[in-house]
Amino acid sequence: MSAQMGEFCELLEHDPDKVRHVARVFYRGVAADLQRLEGAAAANEWQVVSELSQRIHTVCLQLSEHDGAKVAAELRQVAGERFVAAYARHRPVIAALLSHTEDFEH
């Protein structure tokens, strides 16, 4: 679990069941949105990329995943070759974000 998740856990009164359930839903949603975002970028659907990036940004803020929110905000601003370069540059942050999904699968 991210060290930043303390804020998120506080909102849920540190109830482990609530935290696990809500986080699982949020992280699964982010993972699905990232897959759709990659597909939209491959299809040059930049409006969809922008919308999905905004959605990911919002969810990351709700989860106190500030690094993920920053990446999503940056991806929302780029298209074409600039998107490909930005996505490649930010892949480690995206991978770390997605790795948190596994924290809540049990």
Side-chain angles (χ1 to χ4, degrees):
M1 181 180 334
S2 167
Q4 299 170 337
M5 293 241 353
E7 299 167 35
F8 175 70
C9 293
E10 252 180 60
L11 290 173
L12 295 173
E13 301 170 343
H14 296 279
D15 180 314
D17 292 331
K18 286 181 187 177
V19 170
R20 255 190 311 279
H21 174 73
V22 173
R24 184 179 318 121
V25 170
F26 277 120
Y27 281 109
R28 281 183 183 166
V30 168
D33 285 345
L34 279 167
Q35 285 182 331
R36 287 192 292 271
L37 182 141
E38 289 175 358
N44 293 318
E45 296 173 346
W46 301 112
Q47 181 61 36
V48 175
V49 168
S50 178
E51 291 166 4
L52 287 168
S53 296
Q54 178 59 42
R55 184 169 145 154
I56 293 166
H57 176 259
T58 300
V59 171
C60 286
L61 288 176
Q62 291 170 333
L63 289 168
S64 300
E65 288 284 0
H66 303 294
D67 293 339
K70 181 181 175 187
V71 165
E74 285 186 38
L75 293 177
R76 186 169 184 242
Q77 303 300 317
V78 295
E81 290 299 318
R82 290 180 30 222
F83 176 87
V84 172
Y87 195 81
R89 185 174 63 253
H90 294 305
R91 186 173 293 278
V93 173
I94 293 166
L97 177 65
L98 291 178
S99 74
H100 295 308
T101 305
E102 298 168 8
D103 296 342
F104 301 99
E105 289 301 319
H106 310 292

